[in-house]
């Protein structure tokens, strides 16, 4: 397992990269990574992923959900389902929640992303999570149910909200998020092109 400093540096780098890639905007989204068997690091509430630093990450206990304050900063309001995922899925080392444009558009319309490319055909099922307000106990419960019902999933669509990407480590979680948006973008463009051709 990587040391804490390296994990902090990777979260900083890939959080900023996710922001630059428009996988998230404003102060939305959150990124977590397993620190050790009982703790995770997660981005802070109200802080843009583009402004993530090694010093503004919050340590949260995955088991009892206690967290260590960093100045006035609090963990992302979604920290509970991040902790749940890491507890339920020992194979997952990091979770990225974002609002990428095309994947989220499918989620808003409560549609699965059409799997239309070779890369898409190779992906495990991508479950949709029923809508509940962000940060709510209902959303947490919905995410847990989806994780338990789809033990091998790497990406989930949060209806009317965004995406969740799961990886064995920080790099893998980022790559899943990036690939999910690529698949959604290609599917969207293919649909538009088909509609134009049929006019």
């Amino acid at each position: 397992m990587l040391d804490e400093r390296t994990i902090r540096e990777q979260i900083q780098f890939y959080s900023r990269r996710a922001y630059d890639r428009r996988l998230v905007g404003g102060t939305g989204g959150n990124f977590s990574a397993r620190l050790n068997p009982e703790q995770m690091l997660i981005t802070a509430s109200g802080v843009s992923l583009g402004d993530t630093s090694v010093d503004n990450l919050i340590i949260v206990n995955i088991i009892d959900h206690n967290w260590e304050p960093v100045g006035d900063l609090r963990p992302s309001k979604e920290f509970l389902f991040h902790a749940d995922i890491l507890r339920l899925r020992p194979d997952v080392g990091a979770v990225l929640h974002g609002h990428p444009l095309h994947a989220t558009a499918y989620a808003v319309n409560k549609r699965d992303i059409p799997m239309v490319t070779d890369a898409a055909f190779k992906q495990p099922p991508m479950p949709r999570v029923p809508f509940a307000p962000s940060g709510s106990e209902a959303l947490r419960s919905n995410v847990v149910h989806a994780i338990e019902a789809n033990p091998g999933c790497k990406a989930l669509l949060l209806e009317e909200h965004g995406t969740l990407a799961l990886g064995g480590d920080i790099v893998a979680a980022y790559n899943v998020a990036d690939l999910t948006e690529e698949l959604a973008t290609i599917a969207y463009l293919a649909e538009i092109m088909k509609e134009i051709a049929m006019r």
Side-chain angles (χ1 to χ4, degrees), residues 11 28-34 39-43 49 58 60-63 65 75-89 92-98 135 139-141 143-144 147 158 161 163-166 173:
I11 295 176
N30 28 75
F31 212 149
S32 69
R34 194 184 301 276
Q39 294 178 312
M40 69 179 182
L41 280 164
I42 191 166
T43 50
L49 291 193
I58 313 294
V60 177
N61 189 291
I62 296 169
I63 310 303
H65 304 136
S76 164
K77 63 183 176 182
E78 310 286 21
F79 79 91
L80 289 173
F81 73 55
H82 282 259
D84 289 334
I85 292 170
L86 293 176
R87 177 175 51 80
L88 292 168
R89 290 279 301 270
V92 172
V95 178
L96 171 54
H97 164 49
L139 178 59
R140 177 190 178 190
S141 177
V143 169
V144 167
I147 291 293
L158 305 180
H161 188 163
T163 63
L164 281 174
L166 286 53

Side-chain angles (χ1 to χ4, degrees), residues 104-112 128-131 157 159-160:
T104 300
Y106 281 105
V108 165
N109 284 286
K110 299 183 179 180
R111 288 185 57 193
D112 296 331
R128 281 189 285 118
V129 178
F131 173 77
L157 291 182
E159 292 184 348
E160 300 176 58

Side-chain angles (χ1 to χ4, degrees), residues 4-186:
E4 180 175 336
R5 180 70 185 187
T6 301
I7 294 172
R8 286 178 178 271
E9 289 173 348
Q10 285 194 356
I11 295 176
Q12 172 184 284
F13 179 82
Y14 284 98
S15 291
R16 294 181 177 185
R17 190 169 180 179
Y19 182 86
D20 291 341
R21 288 282 287 169
R22 299 189 69 187
L23 299 180
V24 68
T27 58
N30 28 75
F31 212 149
S32 69
R34 194 184 301 276
L35 187 57
N36 57 53
E38 294 188 354
Q39 294 178 312
M40 69 179 182
L41 280 164
I42 191 166
T43 50
S45 178
V47 176
S48 168
L49 291 193
D51 294 324
T52 299
S53 74
V54 295
D55 299 319
N56 61 17
L57 300 170
I58 313 294
I59 295 176
V60 177
N61 189 291
I62 296 169
I63 310 303
D64 63 21
H65 304 136
N66 287 327
W67 50 274
E68 301 175 14
V70 176
D72 295 330
L73 298 177
R74 302 173 58 85
S76 164
K77 63 183 176 182
E78 310 286 21
F79 79 91
L80 289 173
F81 73 55
H82 282 259
D84 289 334
I85 292 170
L86 293 176
R87 177 175 51 80
L88 292 168
R89 290 279 301 270
D91 60 307
V92 172
V95 178
L96 171 54
H97 164 49
H99 310 138
L101 298 180
H102 297 88
T104 300
Y106 281 105
V108 165
N109 284 286
K110 299 183 179 180
R111 288 185 57 193
D112 296 331
I113 298 171
M115 298 288 103
V116 297
T117 66
D118 179 65
F121 303 151
K122 299 172 184 175
Q123 301 310 307
M126 192 180 298
R128 281 189 285 118
V129 178
F131 173 77
S134 58
S136 68
E137 189 62 31
L139 178 59
R140 177 190 178 190
S141 177
N142 291 347
V143 169
V144 167
H145 177 75
I147 291 293
E148 290 177 335
N150 300 274
C153 69
K154 294 182 180 179
L156 301 89
L157 291 182
L158 305 180
E159 292 184 348
E160 300 176 58
H161 188 163
T163 63
L164 281 174
L166 286 53
D169 56 27
I170 295 163
V171 179
Y174 170 82
N175 285 336
V176 168
D178 201 25
L179 176 61
T180 299
E181 175 60 3
E182 179 187 73
L183 300 179
T185 302
I186 293 169

